[in-house]
Amino acid sequence: MLASSPLHVRTQGVFILRSAFHNWAIVALLALSTQAHALNSASTGNSYVHLGTIGTGGLDGVLIAPNWVLTAGHVAQTGITFSSNLGSATVDAAYRVPGFGFPANDLALLHLSSAIDADSFPTLNADVIDNDSAAEGLPVTIAVTAQSGTQSHVYTTVDAAFDEVALEGDSTATVWYLATGSAANGSPYLQGGDSGGALFAGQVGSSQSLLIGIASATDGSLSYFVQPGAYREWLDATLAASGQRALWNVSAVPEPSAAWLLCAGLAVLAWRRRLV
């Protein structure tokens, strides 16, 4: 079980984001662990019912099973409440991915003391989109919930995918990030407090969609999301201990989103890494 106090992470130094499409130098990469705001240049609504807030700071998480919330590792904590349109429950245990150390492996599961029932849950993408995949330009939806309970979403595209960042001193961190582009004003879509928000495949208006990323960090222009599929074995084992499970897509090409299927180049992702 993790400490119950919030985690405020500020990482100093220069990160080199490696991908087949781009190389960036990022100074002072920030985890989004401040009070929540609406997405930059976003539309509002409350149709992403599995998305909710964690605690009083408005940080986000996604309900993926009756007693389980998926969120960013750097915001994982206990003794607080997960609140969504489907219901609320206390977080009584939190589990980070082994090897967590922001920005590395920035993913966590929160266990709820009481179940929140739903007719269905988001489907997690089992196919890891890596730096050899045709990731650039894929349509996606970013969705977050503010502390007020109001949700916001924006339709955008994936800018790149990469599995590592290079740190100062020639060390590396495993991140399995998807990067999305900037808003029209040049700022990142993610704002302070948006950590744990959702990235869905395609332009979708519901959280009963294909979940491909969890909001982790931002620089001065791009937003970064951890891919759950890279940690499928750990996620499945953790949920199985409670007798529950996550829903995963089983096709080599994600099927739940028509927009995803229609995206140019997606059907020929020839070099994806799949973890089973």
Side-chain angles (χ1 to χ4, degrees):
M1 185 177 298
L2 302 180
S4 59
S5 58
L7 302 175
H8 300 284
V9 182
R10 182 180 297 270
T11 303
Q12 303 294 333
V14 178
F15 292 74
I16 306 301
L17 304 191
R18 297 171 172 174
S19 82
F21 308 104
H22 299 279
N23 284 313
W24 300 285
I26 293 186
V27 181
L29 186 65
L30 299 181
L32 307 179
S33 54
T34 59
Q35 188 166 355
H37 303 283
L39 290 169
N40 191 6
S41 304
S43 302
T44 58
N46 290 290
S47 59
Y48 302 91
V49 296
H50 302 87
L51 189 63
T53 58
I54 301 169
T56 59
L59 300 169
D60 290 358
V62 182
L63 187 71
I64 62 169
N67 289 87
W68 292 98
V69 172
L70 186 63
T71 189
H74 70 267
V75 303
Q77 55 184 301
T78 60
I80 42 79
T81 300
F82 171 76
S83 299
S84 71
N85 290 337
L86 293 172
S88 301
T90 301
V91 176
D92 62 7
Y95 306 90
R96 291 184 179 129
V97 168
F100 165 79
F102 184 83
N105 304 306
D106 191 23
L107 199 68
L109 282 168
L110 307 180
H111 183 267
L112 303 179
S113 60
S114 57
I116 298 177
D117 293 327
D119 292 335
S120 62
F121 293 93
T123 300
L124 277 59
N125 185 31
D127 295 300
V128 178
I129 303 170
D130 61 25
N131 57 4
D132 291 321
S133 300
E136 191 172 17
L138 296 180
V140 291
T141 300
I142 304 172
V144 302
T145 302
Q147 178 59 38
S148 64
T150 300
Q151 296 180 342
S152 57
H153 68 276
V154 65
Y155 300 142
T156 184
T157 58
V158 170
D159 204 64
F162 48 92
D163 56 0
E164 289 185 339
V165 292
L167 312 179
E168 287 183 326
D170 296 325
S171 62
T172 60
T174 300
V175 292
W176 291 110
Y177 274 163
L178 292 175
T180 61
S182 307
N185 61 8
S187 299
Y189 286 112
L190 292 176
Q191 302 295 296
D194 289 339
S195 287
L199 183 70
F200 295 105
Q203 295 186 357
V204 298
S206 163
S207 55
Q208 293 180 194
S209 303
L210 185 64
L211 183 65
I212 62 173
I214 294 294
S216 172
T218 181
D219 58 20
S221 60
L222 305 182
S223 301
Y224 302 97
F225 300 81
V226 184
Q227 298 186 67
Y231 305 97
R232 181 179 180 180
E233 184 176 354
W234 175 81
L235 290 169
D236 284 345
T238 305
L239 267 68
S242 69
Q244 296 181 13
R245 65 184 182 87
L247 301 177
W248 298 91
N249 68 304
V250 295
S251 171
V253 177
E255 294 180 354
S257 169
W260 180 272
L261 287 173
L262 293 174
C263 178
L266 180 61
V268 291
L269 295 181
W271 300 103
R272 284 191 287 184
R273 174 180 176 182
R274 180 165 181 167
L275 301 182
V276 295

